[in-house]
Amino acid sequence: MATDSLAISHGAETKSFSRGAVVVLGRLFFALIFLMAGANHFSKQAIGYAVSAGVPLASIAVPLSGVLSIAGGLSILLGYRAKLGGWLLVLFLVPVTLMMHKFWLVQDPMMSQIQMILFMKNISMLGGALLISQFGAGPFSLDARRSR
């Protein structure tokens, strides 16, 4: 009888570990785009592109958006104050999505389609960031470790 309860306990432990591993992988995949793209926001090319899109004060706004992207991405990846990291990414995504992906203004059908895809990608990531801002990082995170 004791052997059965041990097996059940071990099975639950394995299931808990695999769930936690999936959550960590999800955080990595979600954060990766913000970390990689955020670093690009300090380049002259990114600032120039934003100027051509009509972004006001692009030389300040673009690097600031890079800081938000990297800080939010790291926060979520590590699971450290992940709810705040989610809000940082919301703060990043809303203006970037509305200012840089105005597909409704693009005349060329192919370019309009590309901008709409980028717009919808950002909307999808906005949904993920909002979920993280409410539910946090989950298991295997610095937040979970801190709350023990």
Side-chain angles (χ1 to χ4, degrees):
M1 193 69 139
T3 308
D4 289 339
S5 64
L6 180 63
I8 292 170
S9 174
H10 176 69
E13 196 174 288
T14 303
K15 188 175 183 180
S16 176
F17 178 81
S18 62
R19 257 192 204 152
V22 168
V23 171
V24 170
L25 191 61
R27 286 198 328 255
L28 170 67
F29 289 162
F30 183 74
L32 202 56
I33 192 168
F34 297 104
L35 297 173
M36 292 180 70
N40 184 48
H41 285 225
F42 300 95
S43 71
K44 289 181 183 178
Q45 294 85 356
I47 294 168
Y49 182 68
V51 168
S52 73
V55 173
L57 301 169
S59 61
I60 297 168
V62 174
L64 179 61
S65 71
V67 169
L68 289 172
S69 179
I70 292 169
L74 279 174
S75 169
I76 288 168
L77 175 63
L78 299 173
Y80 178 72
R81 299 185 183 240
K83 290 182 177 185
L84 175 61
W87 283 117
L88 291 175
L89 294 180
V90 168
L91 193 60
F92 164 78
L93 283 165
V94 170
V96 168
T97 302
L98 294 173
M99 297 182 93
M100 300 304 294
H101 303 299
K102 300 176 188 173
F103 67 91
W104 54 91
L105 297 179
V106 179
Q107 298 299 314
D108 177 33
M110 185 171 289
M111 287 307 296
S112 178
Q113 182 73 21
I114 289 169
Q115 288 302 320
M116 185 178 75
I117 289 167
L118 293 171
F119 181 91
M120 294 308 296
K121 171 198 55 100
N122 282 18
I123 294 296
S124 175
M125 292 187 307
L126 181 58
L130 287 169
L131 285 169
I132 292 168
S133 77
Q134 297 304 301
F135 295 109
F140 299 151
S141 66
L142 293 174
D143 288 344
R145 187 172 190 183
R146 194 173 49 170
S147 69
R148 284 187 213 160

